[in-house]
């Protein structure tokens, strides 16, 4: 079991940037698939970005070109760099991990709030 703790959320203006962090404990991240999801008010949780054990990344179309996911295996950290934020990015952002690339995400953090004002 891996424990995940997100940080870095906050209130920003449209066009600003934020970097979210996800710290893992209990198991190394190196072989895990890790992703970021978000839930906006009144909406279902949606996938934002993911990174495989190989380092390959994939993104939702809505954030492609603006968000970047990265992983530091030595520090057991995963980051989500968010640029050119818009009010539509307002949501609670969650970090999630799976033990292998082929498994579903099975460990989740508590989330961090990101609010983008217009």
């Amino acid at each position: 079991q891996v424990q995940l703790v997100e940080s870095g959320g906050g209130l920003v203006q449209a066009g600003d940037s934020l970097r979210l962090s996800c710290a893992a404990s209990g198991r190394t991240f190196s072989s895990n698939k890790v992703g970021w999801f978000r839930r906006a008010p009144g909406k279902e949780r949606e996938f934002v970005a993911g990174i495989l054990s190989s380092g390959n990344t994939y993104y939702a179309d809505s954030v492609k070109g603006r968000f970047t996911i990265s992983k530091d295996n030595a520090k057991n950290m995963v980051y989500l760099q968010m640029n050119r934020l818009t009010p539509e990015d307002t949501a609670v952002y969650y970090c999630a991990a799976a033990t292998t690339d082929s498994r579903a995400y099975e460990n989740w953090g508590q989330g961090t709030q990101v609010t983008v004002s217009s």
Side-chain angles (χ1 to χ4, degrees), residues 16-28:
D16 286 351
S17 299
L18 271 179
R19 189 177 81 154
L20 304 183
S21 299
C22 175
S25 61
R27 189 177 68 228
T28 179

Side-chain angles (χ1 to χ4, degrees), residues 56-84:
N56 289 342
T57 58
Y58 50 111
Y59 299 91
D61 287 344
S62 60
V63 307
K64 203 172 294 183
R66 299 188 299 123
F67 290 11
T68 303
I69 187 171
S70 61
K71 186 166 66 165
D72 186 333
N73 288 331
K75 295 182 178 180
N76 240 19
M77 297 286 294
V78 173
Y79 305 98
L80 184 68
Q81 178 66 43
M82 306 186 295
N83 297 329
R84 304 197 308 277

Side-chain angles (χ1 to χ4, degrees), residues 16-60:
D16 286 351
S17 299
L18 271 179
R19 189 177 81 154
L20 304 183
S21 299
C22 175
S25 61
R27 189 177 68 228
T28 179
F29 253 168
S30 61
S31 61
N32 286 17
K33 173 178 70 174
V34 185
W36 286 95
F37 291 75
R38 66 188 182 187
R39 188 194 300 271
K43 295 187 178 181
E44 296 291 317
R45 185 175 64 196
E46 65 174 357
F47 169 79
V48 175
I51 185 164
L52 303 178
S53 57
S54 62
N56 289 342
T57 58
Y58 50 111
Y59 299 91

